[in-house]
Amino acid sequence: EVLHRLVEMPPQAADSAGSETWWPGCPLPRVLCIVAQIPYERGPTLFGQHPANDHGCSIITLHLIKPATLRLLRSQRRTAAVKLFAKFVHGGTTHLISGSTKSGLFKAIAVAGNVDDIGVPRVLLPTVRTYNGKPCLITQSGTVFRDDSGEWLEVNVDIRRFCSLARNMLVSLRDLLPRTSVHCGFTIQGCEDNELPEGIVADVWLHNVDLVGDARVIDDPRVSS
């Protein structure tokens, strides 16, 4: 959990005539925080736990609910995507809820827009092209935190718990990220006809990110000096 502890909570926008503002009891949070915990080491190739001392770094993004979404919620004309997200928020977990199929799972999609221009080694290029933009379901690697009032929701994604291929590729290609533009989108998976089409819950562009050089230490108030 990083909101309030390591990252300040964005303030509520001031009321103005005709504007929509978040209200207590709203089925969706005002603030969605997504934390991607990224390893620095490859870890085990097939079996075993990732090294406990690999703290890596985290990419933290904050997303504020849009007035258009608030108007949609007040009107009760909710799209399938909004209903799915509200169900995910209510469930408060990245695991399958009892009795459901794979509907309602948190899903991430990352697309690197300039794969052919950044010098990916030829031997890795086919694999990178295959998995570029491929959706990834977040289950065992995810943890959800939420405010009792419902004002904020935080989803932590621990990439150290991904499969060995994903971890190893990320570490192997880390030095190319400063030359890369990656568009990340997050959605809730729908499987039934009445749950489609899916909609992007939040998205972010990551440009020229240096996971080692740009990382900075944020003091944790729980750790005594």
Side-chain angles (χ1 to χ4, degrees):
E1 182 179 345
V2 303
L3 268 180
H4 291 293
R5 183 172 64 86
L6 301 179
V7 176
E8 292 184 2
M9 181 75 168
Q12 172 79 284
D15 291 338
S16 60
S19 67
E20 288 285 351
T21 57
W22 184 88
W23 66 94
C26 179
L28 297 183
R30 181 176 70 85
V31 179
L32 172 63
C33 176
I34 299 177
V35 182
Q37 299 168 272
I38 300 173
Y40 280 163
E41 300 177 22
R42 288 181 172 81
T45 301
L46 294 177
F47 303 104
Q49 297 293 322
H50 194 80
N53 61 350
D54 178 19
H55 302 295
C57 69
S58 294
I59 295 177
I60 304 169
T61 61
L62 299 178
H63 310 267
L64 305 183
I65 195 167
K66 293 183 176 181
T69 304
L70 292 171
R71 286 193 292 271
L72 196 67
L73 291 169
R74 287 191 185 277
S75 71
Q76 298 296 317
R77 297 194 303 271
R78 301 176 185 177
T79 64
V82 168
K83 292 177 182 177
L84 270 177
F85 187 36
K87 182 178 179 181
F88 173 81
V89 171
H90 179 73
T93 179
T94 59
H95 302 284
L96 282 173
I97 299 174
S98 178
S100 69
T101 59
K102 290 185 178 180
S103 294
L105 289 177
F106 194 77
K107 184 162 62 176
I109 306 167
V111 181
N114 56 342
V115 166
D116 295 325
D117 304 323
I118 59 175
V120 176
R122 183 174 299 179
V123 67
L124 296 179
L125 194 54
T127 303
V128 172
R129 286 174 174 165
T130 297
Y131 287 95
N132 189 33
K134 186 173 183 178
C136 174
L137 292 176
I138 307 301
T139 53
Q140 300 296 326
S141 62
T143 307
V144 176
F145 302 94
R146 57 181 176 179
D147 176 36
D148 291 338
S149 70
E151 185 179 9
W152 58 265
L153 183 83
E154 179 180 318
V155 180
N156 286 7
V157 182
D158 191 347
I159 297 175
R160 296 170 298 185
R161 301 189 64 183
F162 278 23
C163 69
S164 59
L165 174 62
R167 291 196 316 268
N168 292 344
M169 288 291 288
L170 180 58
V171 173
S172 298
L173 300 174
R174 183 175 62 205
D175 291 341
L176 300 181
L177 287 177
R179 302 198 297 272
T180 307
S181 292
V182 182
H183 192 190
C184 302
F186 305 94
T187 184
I188 308 299
Q189 174 156 281
C191 296
E192 306 298 331
D193 289 344
N194 64 348
E195 297 172 333
L196 301 174
E198 297 175 356
I200 294 295
V201 170
D203 75 313
V204 61
W205 275 96
L206 302 175
H207 298 292
N208 313 113
V209 175
D210 186 336
L211 295 176
V212 178
D214 291 341
R216 63 187 180 92
V217 176
I218 301 177
D219 292 331
D220 188 342
R222 297 178 305 179
V223 180
S224 59
S225 57

